[in-house]
Amino acid sequence: MFVITNMIAQNAKADIGKAQKAGKTIFLVVTDKKSKGTEALVKIADNAQKKAKNAIVMKLDRDDKANASLIAKYRLAGSPLPMVLVVAANDIVAGALSASDATVERLISDIPSKNQSDVLLGFENKKAAIIICGKKNAKDRAALEAECKKAMATMGNKATVVFVDIDNKEEANFMNLLKPDLNKTTVIIFNASGQYTGTLEATAKSKDIITTANKKVGGCCPPGSGKKC
C-alpha cells in the first residue's frame, strides 16, 4: 500500500516538474472533498489557459495523503478551498485566488514574466531585488547595469539584478506593479524582505544601490514585491 501511495505522489510531482521543465505556468486548482464550486473554478482556469501563453491546468486533492509534501510545499494546509494557484516555471507561487475572486483576467494578470519570477525566487531566498527599468537601447543602461552588478557582488550575491525593457509587452503586467518612469532609465530596489526601499536615477553608484537595498522599512509592502501584508 505504501509503495502504491508513494508512486502516486511521485507521479504528481513528476507531472508538475515536467510542465515546469517545459517552461509552462501552472494554474493549480486545489480542492478537497468539502470544497464547493471546484468545477466552476476549473472552468475559469481552463478558459484562462486558452488565452494565456504556455500555461497548463492541473488539479491537486488536499485529502489525498500522496499529495502531503506538495500541500506542505505550497503552504496549503489551512487554506480555504477550492482555490487556484499561479505557479511559475521556477516553482514560485505568483498568485493565489479563491473561487469567489478568480476570473480569467486575474489569472492571466498573475502570470509572472521571467524577470518577475526571478525576483520572486530571490525573495524566497532572502535576496534583495535590483530592477533596472528602461529602454533596451538606452545609452545609460550599460553603466547602470555595471554599477548594479558591482553592488550585487559586494553584497555577496545576496541580490537579484534584472533588466526590464519598458517596450517589451511581455513585461506589461510586471511594469503595472512597478510603475517605473517611462521617460528615463531608473533602478527600482526592494530589500531582502520584499519591501520597496527606493528608486534611483541612472547615475546611481554601487554604494548608493547597496545602501538602498539594505534599508529597513515598516508597514505594508507595495505592489510588485510579491509579499502580502
Side-chain angles (χ1 to χ4, degrees), residues 194-215:
Q195 298 168 313
Y196 169 75
T197 52
T199 298
L200 302 178
E201 301 291 321
T203 54
K205 299 301 181 184
S206 62
K207 61 182 181 63
D208 303 312
I209 296 167
I210 293 170
T211 297
T212 306
N214 287 331
K215 190 183 299 182

Side-chain angles (χ1 to χ4, degrees), residues 28 107-108 117 149 216:
L28 187 64
L107 282 174
I108 292 174
S117 60
K149 290 177 181 178
K216 303 296 182 183

Side-chain angles (χ1 to χ4, degrees), residues 30-194:
V30 187
T31 185
D32 62 15
K33 61 185 178 183
K34 296 180 181 179
S35 297
K36 296 181 180 180
T38 297
E39 293 310 311
L41 186 56
V42 170
K43 186 175 181 179
I44 290 172
D46 283 338
N47 288 334
Q49 183 270 332
K50 292 173 184 177
K51 293 185 177 182
K53 180 181 179 181
N54 210 21
I56 189 171
V57 178
M58 294 186 179
K59 288 178 67 175
L60 187 66
D61 183 357
R62 189 168 65 182
D63 288 333
D64 190 340
K65 293 182 179 179
N67 294 326
S69 63
L70 291 172
I71 295 300
K73 179 180 182 179
Y74 294 129
R75 302 169 188 173
L76 295 166
S79 301
L81 301 181
M83 70 184 306
V84 56
L85 304 182
V86 181
V87 186
N90 67 351
D91 210 29
I92 284 296
V93 176
L97 297 171
S98 67
S100 60
D101 292 332
T103 64
V104 170
E105 292 73 20
R106 288 196 64 178
L107 282 174
I108 292 174
S109 69
D110 277 350
I111 297 175
S113 67
K114 175 62 166 60
N115 283 325
Q116 186 180 0
S117 60
D118 286 346
V119 166
L120 293 176
L121 180 60
F123 290 146
E124 286 287 317
N125 293 313
K126 306 301 181 184
K127 292 185 177 184
I130 301 171
I131 307 167
I132 306 162
C133 298
K135 291 184 178 295
K136 184 178 180 179
N137 298 319
K139 294 180 179 180
D140 51 8
R141 173 187 168 185
L144 180 56
E145 279 188 320
E147 292 296 328
C148 290
K149 290 177 181 178
K150 181 179 177 181
M152 179 178 67
T154 302
M155 294 169 68
N157 291 321
K158 290 296 183 180
T160 304
V161 176
V162 299
F163 171 76
V164 179
D165 179 1
I166 62 174
D167 292 326
N168 185 349
K169 293 182 179 179
E170 293 186 1
E171 299 288 356
N173 288 338
F174 195 22
M175 287 195 296
N176 284 337
L177 295 173
L178 294 172
K179 294 179 170 49
D181 188 328
L182 301 180
N183 297 310
K184 58 185 177 180
T185 306
T186 57
V187 56
I188 299 173
I189 302 173
F190 295 83
N191 64 23
S193 297

